[in-house]
Amino acid sequence: MEIEPIIEQQRQFFKSQKTKDISFRKKALKRLLEEVQNNEEAIQNALYQDFKKPAFESYISEIGIVISELKLAIKKLNQWSKPKTVIPSVLNFPSWEKIYQEPYGTVLIIGPWNYPFLLSMAPLIGAIAAGNTVVVKPSELTPKTSQLVVDIIEKCFDKSHAAVIQGDVLIAQKLLSIRWDYIFFTGSVPVGKIVAKATAEFLTPTTLELGGKSPCIIDETADIQLSAKRIVWGKFLNAGQTCIAPDYILIHEKVKDDFVASLKTAIENAYGENPKVSDDYPRIINQRNFHRLIKMLENETILTGGEKDETDLYLAPTVIHCTSSDCEAMKDEIFGPILPLLTFSSEEQIETIINSYEKPLSLYVFTSKKSFAKKIIQKYSFGGGVINDTVVHFANHRLPFGGVGHSGQGAYHGKHTFDTFSHSKSVVNRFTWLDVPIRYAPYKGKLKWLKLFLKYLS
Ligand code: NAD
């Protein structure tokens, strides 16, 4: 597909002002909702073919979220897009003052492979709701799902409104060499830096949804069995290939043995004695990632798991014991079904480990001490997190979802996605029936009156 003509058509279409019409946007979102609902089974099949993602996980972590984001946007669009009147400044008296939500123009969305349907569609919904024209570049590593994204978008939109351009790194680089009005990127930190450099050239506003090493702290007062069950769910969902999966465990040394036993039980309860034959356990996306993960297991103490099958890209849910953060699994984001455990006996040790990494996308703390949870939440900077569970902050569209520092910039979900793809344009309308003369030169003798005026009126 030729890239430049599509972008030119989208620019012309945006200029026509048609996307500014709220009912036009709503109709487009309704078509998309219908098409996603019609294709539920096909999407589940595509995700299964791409990396054996179970239908249940496809629904709760991709299709179901897309459907609820669409329904929310359709229901709330009038309210979200209405200009907001603010209290006018006394300095501007008499006036009205408003904030208009304005679409940026022609925007680019680049998606990753790990939630390939959700992470192409969720930003698209906000971009369309906000009145932009959109090009989506889904991941090349999930060809079946990316093709369905193409089919669905082509069925719902004219290319001049929304289009999909498929391709690998070279296509992504070509897209990044073009001037866009906004870029929304989800992917790894190194590629995030490439995107940031490319957008600097044109000062393009950008959202970067990246990754990192998300810690999971368990103190000696936590409910160990429940913690293990919830951690196993959040970690091995999508076979650990989740940006907000707990990356590593920091556990109080007193409860480590109990926790390891509970982890083994929770893994077996979820996936049976042999997770390879479980219908509920996905595969590693490709050989490159498979080898990257296997390397992390060399020379490490495996507490459970470790079984692998390269031909099937299978790696069992695996827990390893790391005696220091020098182990291979602690060098970079794991992004797979390996869970390293590190023990602590003091809060200083927690601090040393967490602070040796960049600000994480998520942080989880398991404890029954409210004061400990509060301290951890306030002390560390992270994108978002949960007390006594994992991953579930993703589920509430009212909570902005995004990273901080190296784990990303900007946030989305629900109304936050609409806001992300809108420029807030502030407008003051000065009435003409009165013109207070104090601000005009010559200023001599006016300052004391200005101060008096501000003291009593502001
Ligand atoms: P990736 O960065 O390798 O690829 C993401 C997208 O960028 C793909 O579409 C790819 O084609 C493109 N790309 C790859 N190399 C590029 C280059 N040199 N120049 C331009 N574009 C390039 O990421 P991935 O492997 O698809 O996804 C895994 C990463 O994404 C993990 O680090 C994970 O934490 C992160 N992630 C973050 C979130 C979030 O919401 N914060 C969600 C999912 C995944």
Side-chain angles (χ1 to χ4, degrees):
M1 191 185 277
E2 285 266 14
I3 297 175
E4 282 84 0
I6 291 178
I7 296 167
E8 191 44 39
Q9 275 175 37
Q10 291 208 351
R11 290 197 188 292
Q12 292 310 323
F13 188 63
F14 184 75
K15 272 192 199 151
S16 76
Q17 304 290 312
K18 286 207 179 85
T19 65
K20 302 257 175 91
D21 177 358
I22 305 299
S23 64
F24 173 80
R25 298 182 201 173
K26 266 199 209 166
K27 272 188 205 148
L29 293 171
K30 282 181 184 163
R31 279 199 308 274
L32 188 57
L33 174 62
E34 199 184 324
E35 206 51 37
V36 171
Q37 285 174 325
N38 289 343
N39 278 283
E40 271 181 32
E41 215 182 305
I43 301 162
Q44 281 168 348
N45 290 339
L47 287 163
Y48 186 82
Q49 287 176 55
D50 280 331
F51 59 113
K52 286 203 179 160
K53 185 159 176 151
F56 183 86
E57 285 189 8
S58 295
Y59 197 84
I60 58 157
S61 67
E62 306 214 34
I63 306 163
I65 302 178
V66 168
I67 290 175
S68 60
E69 288 275 311
L70 274 164
K71 287 184 175 166
L72 183 78
I74 292 164
K75 188 170 155 204
K76 298 281 187 180
L77 193 51
N78 285 352
Q79 189 188 323
W80 293 349
S81 51
K82 212 169 143 197
K84 311 274 176 307
T85 302
V86 299
I87 298 170
S89 163
V90 283
L91 293 174
N92 295 335
F93 181 80
S95 69
W96 62 241
E97 309 192 3
K98 291 185 189 183
I99 305 166
Y100 289 82
Q101 295 304 101
E102 171 187 83
Y104 280 101
T106 299
V107 307
L108 173 67
I109 294 167
I110 299 182
W113 62 264
N114 64 328
Y115 288 84
F117 187 69
L118 173 73
L119 298 177
S120 296
M121 287 296 181
L124 171 86
I125 294 164
I128 293 291
N132 299 280
T133 60
V134 189
V135 169
V136 180
K137 207 283 299 163
S139 174
E140 67 280 23
L141 300 185
T142 46
K144 301 285 180 201
T145 313
S146 296
Q147 185 55 47
L148 253 184
V149 170
V150 175
D151 297 345
I152 292 173
I153 292 180
E154 281 187 351
K155 190 132 188 231
C156 299
F157 297 91
D158 188 86
K159 278 195 182 57
S160 59
H161 190 193
V164 185
I165 292 173
Q166 291 211 73
D168 58 9
V169 178
L170 289 177
I171 295 290
Q173 284 168 340
K174 175 138 207 266
L175 288 167
L176 287 177
S177 69
I178 294 165
R179 183 172 183 162
W180 299 88
D181 297 305
Y182 200 95
I183 295 183
F184 188 104
F185 171 79
T186 309
S188 60
V189 175
V191 181
K193 289 182 185 173
I194 293 172
V195 174
K197 275 188 194 147
T199 55
E201 171 71 17
F202 301 114
L203 293 178
T204 307
T206 318
T207 294
L208 298 174
E209 294 283 342
L210 310 177
K213 287 193 85 61
S214 299
C216 181
I217 305 160
I218 306 166
D219 82 352
E220 71 280 24
T221 69
D223 177 333
I224 294 298
Q225 275 182 22
L226 186 62
S227 308
K229 194 161 121 187
R230 292 179 173 177
I231 289 165
V232 164
W233 176 77
K235 175 69 189 186
F236 299 113
L237 174 85
N238 223 33
Q241 302 164 117
T242 301
C243 55
I244 50 171
D247 186 274
Y248 63 97
I249 302 283
L250 282 170
I251 185 148
H252 195 285
E253 61 183 11
K254 277 191 200 158
V255 287
K256 183 204 148 204
D257 292 343
D258 272 3
F259 179 66
V260 172
S262 301
L263 272 181
K264 288 180 186 169
T265 309
I267 292 171
E268 200 173 320
N269 287 345
Y271 305 110
E273 267 180 33
N274 179 9
K276 195 176 174 195
V277 296
S278 165
D279 290 336
D280 298 331
Y281 190 66
R283 294 301 183 254
I284 306 306
I285 187 65
N286 58 14
Q287 281 193 318
R288 200 175 129 245
N289 274 290
F290 182 83
H291 288 295
R292 185 181 60 79
L293 290 164
I294 297 305
K295 200 164 164 253
M296 291 179 196
L297 299 179
E298 284 167 12
N299 311 318
E300 297 301 340
T301 312
I302 296 179
L303 301 173
T304 185
E307 300 82 13
K308 55 187 186 291
D309 178 355
E310 188 175 347
T311 52
D312 191 22
L313 294 175
Y314 166 76
L315 176 60
T318 300
V319 182
I320 60 174
H321 183 218
C322 288
T323 44
S324 79
S325 44
D326 287 341
C327 79
E328 191 65 30
M330 290 303 291
K331 293 208 170 123
D332 223 329
E333 181 184 7
I334 295 171
F335 216 59
I338 297 174
L339 186 59
L341 247 66
L342 287 99
T343 53
F344 67 86
S345 54
S346 69
E347 287 181 27
E348 289 70 41
Q349 286 173 315
I350 299 179
E351 187 173 343
T352 306
I353 293 173
I354 293 185
N355 287 347
S356 65
Y357 297 100
E358 295 291 344
K359 293 176 181 177
L361 185 56
S362 300
L363 182 145
Y364 306 109
V365 55
F366 287 79
T367 178
S368 57
K369 273 195 291 186
K370 276 188 192 154
S371 58
F372 182 69
K374 192 172 167 194
K375 198 194 279 178
I376 295 290
I377 296 297
Q378 288 182 348
K379 187 168 187 177
Y380 299 105
S381 178
F382 53 92
V386 189
I387 300 165
N388 287 321
D389 208 336
T390 60
V391 174
V392 293
H393 58 305
F394 192 87
N396 184 353
H397 67 79
R398 292 172 196 91
L399 295 172
F401 178 85
V404 54
H406 279 218
S407 57
Q409 47 190 258
Y412 74 130
H413 285 187
K415 179 176 184 292
H416 306 288
T417 318
F418 175 88
D419 292 341
T420 284
F421 284 102
S422 305
H423 163 62
S424 295
K425 186 161 74 178
S426 299
V427 176
V428 174
N429 179 13
R430 293 279 275 117
F431 301 156
T432 51
W433 49 265
L434 180 70
D435 194 31
V436 183
I438 193 161
R439 72 175 151 139
Y440 298 111
Y443 302 127
K444 195 162 182 257
K446 287 181 174 173
L447 191 57
K448 69 171 192 263
W449 292 110
L450 179 76
K451 284 185 175 174
L452 207 63
F453 176 73
L454 289 177
K455 190 171 169 190
Y456 289 106
L457 288 178
S458 57

